[in-house]
Amino acid sequence: MARAPHLVNILACLSAGAALAGCAYLPPLPERPRDVFTTPVIPRGHAVPEETLAQITPNVSTRQDVQALLGSPSHSGTFSDDSWYYISSRTQQRPARTLAVRDQQVVVVDFAPSGTVAAVRRIGQAEMPRVDFVSRETPTPGNERTLLQALFGNIGRFGASPGGTGAAGSPGGGPGLAAGSVAR
């Protein structure tokens, strides 16, 4: 009987060896991408291909022609409709779940007063003016709470009985009247 446990160990080693030998016949694993921890780049907006942009002819194409080729603009001029903007970008998610703009392109179509295209230009991210936003907030009175107020702010707001009702069934734990009693 002493040989039986050794026999089981030998059989287990032989079966493990056969299983490992079979791994040599498996196809190789695909090569892992080099950037394992990066997120995909997501195209956003209205990207205009160069071939489509080449079909717009200044002093010949009209607003209807541009809209038929490019579609509705992402934005038009603020004070007049003389410029149409087609904005596109490529974004990628950063570790803190914020989006990083990797590339941004703006196609600007300027129109003459006659309604024909005056100029078409593409603006890359390097030519765009940088706008820095102010991160400050306007303080609102009454919204600043200290740590102690945040921790102990709800003490005493609710009644002592379960369910938030007072001694005689009045909400909030205030003095109430018992059923059938009359206030004097």
Side-chain angles (χ1 to χ4, degrees):
M1 289 226 191
R3 293 185 184 189
H6 295 295
L7 184 60
V8 171
N9 289 339
I10 292 173
L11 288 176
C13 288
L14 288 176
S15 64
L20 288 175
C23 290
Y25 295 107
L26 293 176
L29 291 174
E31 184 178 330
R32 288 186 357 195
R34 301 203 190 285
D35 298 326
V36 175
F37 297 108
T38 60
T39 57
V41 175
I42 302 167
R44 297 178 181 267
H46 195 110
V48 179
E50 286 295 328
E51 300 83 33
T52 307
L53 201 59
Q55 295 177 13
I56 299 173
T57 309
N59 299 325
V60 176
S61 300
T62 63
R63 290 179 192 265
Q64 292 81 16
D65 297 335
V66 172
Q67 190 159 9
L69 281 171
L70 305 180
S72 297
S74 303
H75 185 71
S76 60
T78 304
F79 299 108
S80 68
D81 198 29
D82 292 339
S83 297
W84 286 1
Y85 302 95
Y86 295 89
I87 304 169
S88 66
S89 64
R90 294 183 320 122
T91 60
Q92 189 173 20
Q93 195 167 14
R94 291 190 277 198
R97 299 277 184 210
T98 58
L99 289 178
V101 177
R102 297 294 177 215
D103 182 37
Q104 187 170 18
Q105 297 284 320
V106 177
V107 173
V108 181
V109 180
D110 294 320
F111 293 101
S114 63
T116 60
V117 174
V120 177
R121 61 183 192 259
R122 183 181 295 269
I123 301 172
Q125 193 169 358
E127 296 93 26
M128 290 184 202
R130 178 154 174 85
V131 178
D132 293 324
F133 294 102
V134 178
S135 62
R136 294 178 286 135
E137 293 180 8
T138 304
T140 305
N143 285 345
E144 297 89 14
R145 294 179 67 187
T146 64
L147 178 64
L148 292 176
Q149 287 174 336
L151 289 174
F152 302 112
N154 288 332
I155 294 177
R157 285 191 179 184
F158 304 106
S161 65
T165 59
S170 65
L177 299 175
S181 64
V182 179
R184 297 182 196 224

